[in-house]
Amino acid sequence: MAALPDRAARIALSCVVDAGDPSLAALVAEVGASEAWARVIDSALGEPAARRAAQFDHRQVEILSRHYRVRFVVPGDEEWPAGLDDLRFVAPIQRRAGVPIGLWLRGPRHLGDLSGRAVAIVGSRAATAYGIEAATDLATDLAAGGWTVVSGAAHGIDAAAHRAAVAAGGATLAVLANGVDIAYPKGNATLLSAIAQDHLIVSELPPGQSPSRIRFLARNRIIAAAAVGTVVVEAAHRSGARNTASWTVECGRPLMAVPGPVYSAMSAGPHQLVRDGRASLVTCAAEVLELVSALGSNVAVEQRGPDRPTDGLDEQRLSVFEALPARAFATVEDVSRRSGHPVPTVLAQLAALERAGLAEVEERGWRTSRDGSASTTGRGGQAHG
Amino acid sequence: MAALPDRAARIALSCVVDAGDPSLAALVAEVGASEAWARVIDSALGEPAARRAAQFDHRQVEILSRHYRVRFVVPGDEEWPAGLDDLRFVAPIQRRAGVPIGLWLRGPRHLGDLSGRAVAIVGSRAATAYGIEAATDLATDLAAGGWTVVSGAAHGIDAAAHRAAVAAGGATLAVLANGVDIAYPKGNATLLSAIAQDHLIVSELPPGQSPSRIRFLARNRIIAAAAVGTVVVEAAHRSGARNTASWTVECGRPLMAVPGPVYSAMSAGPHQLVRDGRASLVTCAAEVLELVSALGSNVAVEQRGPDRPTDGLDEQRLSVFEALPARAFATVEDVSRRSGHPVPTVLAQLAALERAGLAEVEERGWRTSRDGSASTTGRGGQAHG
């Protein structure tokens, strides 16, 4: 069988391996998508995936994609959101992990633009009237301030946040645990169709796929990574929103929680997150922006691209950049030693430098990018799957 | 004029100098109460105080005290609460400060016992139904668990906390900004009379005195210091409860705040305290006890008195004790150097050692107590003023 090109291999992989399989993420990171596809056929990820791969028909995807005006974006595409690459460094939560091998998109907005200045608002399906009001007010004010509201299109808090952003004339991004062509839950069909019409729906899963518990857990990491920070509005002690909260903390993004009456079971989750020191208490959009606006504008600066490659780098990032060799390759430990920063700091700064096209990584290690635009070299613009 | 004995001098001083005057606290700490009284007569604290001192008639106090069954306790009395001595190390807030020179007491309970295992519950006069319910539930559960509920007998949160403690058959301590014989506010007269009957009312001010703004501010430091920790249930952004909160933090005691709806102005104060990192968010008595119970039992251990003087000291306190000379005197800096602990730690540990009768302080510095009971030596039991 002839090797599939990178993009086609990613599409094929997304159709035969379940979302967020950390073995797939590791395999693609190691050998690239084309080789990963060949190995999946050779049972590298088990017999069931190999059987699905053998039966995979590319024409099916094309038909679905055209019919639903769906596109597929991959890391390195101009539309790919830089924030999602942070998932490389994130430890698996409940067996899900890794940078998505690609994302299915439906809707007219630009994913990279939306994600650069975005706050996730998540919470319980069984929200109270108080929670709905709080989510609505937060989303309205954030959307009016030019921030994308990211959520999961579930009943309750999620739907209230999306609706408020739409009503405020802002932008919203719905991240689904099923195909972007499927209206789930059915009660939110009108809302999802409005989002598909004027905003953006995203999923790691190909068209036609239904949600499952494991897909929800994998989806939550994309909500956390696609936003600059996450607000938990209402959540019971055990709640999916707490899974998104964990991803947010793992991604190194600010986690925020809205307080409520101590007698409300739906506020027990947010209160616990504050008590554990994991979330900051927030009561309004201004307090959310205090925590995320610096991050949002940093991302924005990187996306605009500086006049000189290193313009606009802060002192720490510049010192990591300057510790990189131009021709040889350096390990993260080398860079840590040369720059004087600890390894986690170096990892985070290298990721940012790579996103800015200033550093590149191979199996041998890290070095400065040779043409200052490594992150887009040889990958072309976005194409429709 | 013949010199007044210490207790009589303190009574006289409490009648002619306003509560919490930091100059008086400093003067008494420096020269003792008898000499301070002589100097106040000589205008050391200004002409108005000198005039009041010249006119002061001891018989008046005796008549009032007998009539209202009021007693006066001073530092070193068996009933004196050890916690109040921490006010020595506390910086003035709004021109009030210092260890009270004495306290007027009304009611059958033992102040030292109540204070050793006490939580303050404070909040707004204009409380909401939600706040009243939260204060009631907290006070009920703390009182049922054997903890004294300390508050200021104001309308709203304070009254709800006292009432719940009384109803639960627990103990409550009302700290007033007026004479213990005066029912203020009038609406709480029945409650205050129940507290006087079966619990305890405390004030720095002599019988007959009315409250004032400055007296409320001074009173709040006694609420904070008499309890092991303080819970703010509801408070507007600007509120007296926030003054008590500041005293609590200054005294090094845990400050706690109850969250509420983000739309309630009465929850804005607690939310701000949590956001500022000054208060821990608490939603029930169990969470309060998590934060204070260790402290409460430490106090209890000290009050019971160990078999050997240094039994029951933790490692840090023991190392400070061991850094003290037995015959010479050491400065706090000396002890810091010898023990390896920073000055604030040493100060706190020395205060605890002094309360436990293991250390004593003079103008020349600190040393170990010569008979293991320095804190009560030569001071006798409590007497009624």
Side-chain angles (χ1 to χ4, degrees):
Chain A
M1 195 179 193
L4 280 181
D6 182 82
R7 181 176 309 273
R10 286 175 183 269
I11 291 175
L13 287 166
S14 92
C15 292
V16 307
V17 184
D18 213 14
D21 183 322
S23 317
L24 176 62
L27 185 61
V28 170
E30 192 189 337
V31 301
S34 303
E35 176 62 18
W37 174 248
R39 295 197 188 177
V40 167
I41 292 174
D42 285 348
S43 309
L45 296 184
E47 286 311 316
R51 273 197 299 277
R52 287 194 297 271
Q55 290 160 11
F56 178 71
D57 181 354
H58 280 273
R59 284 167 306 177
Q60 243 180 313
V61 175
E62 262 172 60
I63 293 163
L64 278 168
S65 299
R66 274 192 209 128
H67 184 70
Y68 289 104
R69 298 170 169 279
V70 165
R71 62 194 186 275
F72 188 75
V73 298
V74 302
D77 281 351
E78 190 266 340
E79 192 174 359
W80 184 258
L84 284 192
D85 295 331
D86 293 347
L87 288 167
R88 264 185 307 184
F89 305 117
V90 169
I93 297 178
Q94 287 163 306
R95 292 179 291 126
R96 305 289 90 189
V99 179
I101 53 171
L103 287 172
W104 298 90
L105 269 54
R106 184 175 174 210
R109 301 278 183 127
H110 183 286
L111 177 57
D113 286 354
L114 289 195
S115 172
R117 210 173 137 82
V119 172
I121 298 180
V122 299
S124 180
R125 288 168 175 78
T128 68
Y130 166 69
I132 297 292
E133 190 180 359
T136 300
D137 286 353
L138 276 177
T140 300
D141 293 348
L142 290 171
W147 286 75
T148 305
V149 173
V150 181
S151 198
H155 285 304
I157 299 297
D158 286 18
H162 288 303
R163 275 196 190 99
V166 170
T172 197
L173 172 64
V175 185
L176 305 188
N178 48 265
V180 294
D181 58 317
I182 293 178
Y184 180 90
K186 282 214 174 71
N188 289 343
T190 310
L191 172 63
L192 281 164
S193 126
I195 297 175
Q197 182 70 36
D198 295 325
H199 300 266
L200 195 61
I201 299 178
V202 170
S203 178
E204 205 175 356
L205 291 147
Q209 293 295 306
S210 304
S212 70
R213 180 174 152 70
I214 205 155
R215 288 172 173 181
F216 281 120
L217 297 176
R219 182 275 308 268
N220 292 341
R221 84 190 195 287
I222 301 177
I223 292 180
V228 176
T230 299
V231 185
V232 179
V233 177
E234 281 193 326
H237 261 304
R238 300 168 70 84
S239 156
R242 294 185 45 102
N243 175 256
T244 312
S246 295
W247 285 116
T248 303
V249 172
E250 286 287 320
C251 288
R253 288 160 168 59
L255 177 66
M256 295 154 278
V258 175
V262 297
Y263 302 111
S264 168
M266 285 298 129
S267 290
H271 291 159
Q272 194 58 49
L273 291 171
V274 172
R275 283 175 49 73
D276 292 345
R278 302 174 74 207
S280 304
L281 186 153
V282 292
T283 67
C284 61
E287 291 173 2
V288 172
L289 291 180
E290 250 176 52
L291 288 163
V292 302
S293 54
L295 302 168
S297 41
N298 283 349
V299 172
V301 165
E302 286 173 16
Q303 286 181 335
R304 273 202 307 276
D307 294 329
R308 272 194 338 185
T310 53
D311 280 357
L313 296 189
D314 67 20
E315 208 175 314
Q316 187 182 74
R317 191 162 299 170
L318 190 62
S319 68
V320 170
F321 176 80
E322 287 172 346
L324 284 176
R327 289 195 189 81
F329 287 87
T331 66
V332 171
E333 288 74 21
D334 292 337
V335 181
S336 166
R337 210 165 32 245
R338 285 182 208 168
S339 66
H341 297 299
V343 166
T345 304
V346 168
L347 272 174
Q349 295 296 6
L350 286 174
L353 288 167
E354 192 197 14
R355 287 203 301 271
L358 293 168
E360 55 188 25
V361 62
E362 289 189 17
E363 214 172 325
R364 289 168 289 172
W366 289 84
R367 63 176 175 180
T368 59
S369 167
R370 271 175 294 181
D371 62 358
S373 62
S375 67
T376 53
T377 304
R379 281 163 171 170
Q382 111 209 23
H384 295 242
Chain B
M1 194 179 194
L4 280 181
D6 182 84
R7 182 176 309 271
R10 287 175 182 269
I11 292 175
L13 286 166
S14 92
C15 292
V16 306
V17 184
D18 213 13
D21 183 322
S23 316
L24 176 62
L27 186 60
V28 170
E30 194 189 335
V31 301
S34 302
E35 175 63 17
W37 174 248
R39 295 199 189 175
V40 167
I41 292 174
D42 285 348
S43 307
L45 296 183
E47 286 312 316
R51 271 198 300 277
R52 287 193 296 271
Q55 291 160 11
F56 178 71
D57 180 354
H58 281 272
R59 286 168 306 178
Q60 242 181 314
V61 175
E62 264 172 59
I63 294 162
L64 278 168
S65 299
R66 275 192 208 128
H67 184 71
Y68 291 105
R69 299 170 168 274
V70 165
R71 62 192 185 276
F72 188 75
V73 299
V74 303
D77 280 350
E78 191 266 339
E79 192 174 358
W80 185 258
L84 284 191
D85 294 331
D86 294 347
L87 287 167
R88 265 186 307 185
F89 305 117
V90 169
I93 296 176
Q94 287 163 306
R95 292 180 291 125
R96 304 289 92 188
V99 180
I101 52 170
L103 287 173
W104 298 90
L105 270 54
R106 186 178 173 207
R109 302 279 183 127
H110 183 286
L111 177 57
D113 286 354
L114 290 194
S115 172
R117 212 173 135 83
V119 172
I121 297 181
V122 300
S124 180
R125 287 168 176 76
T128 68
Y130 165 71
I132 297 293
E133 190 181 359
T136 300
D137 285 353
L138 277 177
T140 300
D141 293 347
L142 290 170
W147 287 75
T148 304
V149 173
V150 181
S151 197
H155 285 304
I157 299 298
D158 287 18
H162 288 302
R163 274 196 192 100
V166 170
T172 195
L173 173 64
V175 185
L176 305 187
N178 47 263
V180 294
D181 58 317
I182 293 178
Y184 179 92
K186 283 214 175 69
N188 289 343
T190 310
L191 172 64
L192 280 164
S193 129
I195 296 174
Q197 183 69 38
D198 295 324
H199 300 265
L200 196 60
I201 300 179
V202 171
S203 177
E204 203 174 358
L205 291 148
Q209 294 294 306
S210 305
S212 69
R213 180 174 152 69
I214 204 155
R215 288 172 173 181
F216 282 119
L217 298 176
R219 182 273 310 265
N220 292 340
R221 82 189 195 289
I222 300 175
I223 293 180
V228 177
T230 298
V231 185
V232 179
V233 176
E234 282 194 326
H237 262 303
R238 299 167 72 82
S239 156
R242 294 183 46 97
N243 176 256
T244 312
S246 295
W247 284 117
T248 303
V249 172
E250 287 287 320
C251 288
R253 286 159 169 61
L255 177 65
M256 295 154 278
V258 175
V262 297
Y263 302 111
S264 168
M266 285 299 131
S267 290
H271 291 158
Q272 193 60 48
L273 291 171
V274 172
R275 284 176 48 72
D276 292 346
R278 302 174 75 208
S280 304
L281 186 151
V282 292
T283 67
C284 60
E287 292 173 0
V288 172
L289 291 181
E290 250 176 53
L291 288 163
V292 302
S293 54
L295 302 168
S297 40
N298 281 349
V299 171
V301 165
E302 286 172 17
Q303 286 181 335
R304 273 201 307 274
D307 293 329
R308 273 195 334 185
T310 52
D311 279 356
L313 296 187
D314 67 18
E315 207 175 317
Q316 189 182 72
R317 193 162 297 169
L318 190 63
S319 69
V320 170
F321 176 79
E322 287 173 345
L324 284 177
R327 289 193 189 82
F329 288 86
T331 66
V332 171
E333 288 73 21
D334 291 337
V335 181
S336 166
R337 208 166 33 247
R338 285 182 209 168
S339 67
H341 297 299
V343 166
T345 304
V346 168
L347 273 174
Q349 295 295 7
L350 286 173
L353 288 167
E354 193 196 14
R355 286 203 301 271
L358 293 169
E360 54 188 26
V361 62
E362 290 189 17
E363 214 172 326
R364 288 169 290 172
W366 289 83
R367 62 174 174 180
T368 58
S369 169
R370 271 175 293 180
D371 62 358
S373 61
S375 66
T376 53
T377 303
R379 281 164 171 167
Q382 111 206 23
H384 294 240

